[in-house]
Amino acid sequence: MVVNMAAYIASLDDAAPAPDLSAPLAGLWWAAKGDWDQAHKIVQDESSREAAWVHAYLHRVEGDLGNAGYWYRQAGQPVATDSLEAEWQRIADTLGGSASA
C-alpha cells in the first residue's frame, strides 16, 4: 500500500490531518491526537486490511479485547501480545514508514 507518510508526520502539528492521507493513516492521526471517536469513525467503514488493523489497535488500546480480536481477524493479523507502542510502530512501518505517536 502506498501512503503519504511524510504528509502524516508533517500534519501531526496541524488541527486536521493532511487531506490526502489514507483512511488507516488518518485513523492513526486522530489516535495520535487522542480523539478515539474520530479515529474509529475514519476506519470503521473501510474495507482494507490496513484499516481493520488500525481498528483492532484502537479497540486494544481501549481494553475492548473482544472487538480487537474480531478486527485482527478481519485484518489477517495475529492478535497482538506485545506493547501498544511496538504494535503502533509495526502498523506504521507496514503502512509505509515511521510514524511517531
Side-chain angles (χ1 to χ4, degrees):
M1 171 179 226
V2 177
V3 298
N4 191 342
M5 187 58 70
Y8 167 86
I9 293 168
S11 71
L12 283 173
D13 290 331
D14 295 343
D20 61 342
L21 291 183
S22 65
L25 275 179
L28 285 180
W29 189 94
W30 285 106
K33 294 295 194 174
D35 190 336
W36 299 101
D37 289 339
Q38 186 63 26
H40 276 290
K41 287 177 188 175
I42 296 292
V43 296
Q44 70 185 0
D45 294 328
E46 289 295 315
S47 61
S48 74
R49 298 178 114 186
E50 294 85 1
W53 192 6
V54 171
H55 205 170
Y57 169 81
L58 295 172
H59 281 291
R60 183 176 174 220
V61 168
E62 295 169 332
D64 184 356
L65 301 182
N67 275 324
Y70 170 83
W71 287 105
Y72 281 118
R73 288 188 297 280
Q74 296 304 306
Q77 293 291 326
V79 174
T81 58
D82 57 356
S83 72
L84 293 170
E85 294 80 10
E87 185 179 6
W88 178 286
Q89 193 60 53
R90 200 169 48 258
I91 293 169
D93 289 346
T94 300
L95 292 178
S98 179
S100 300

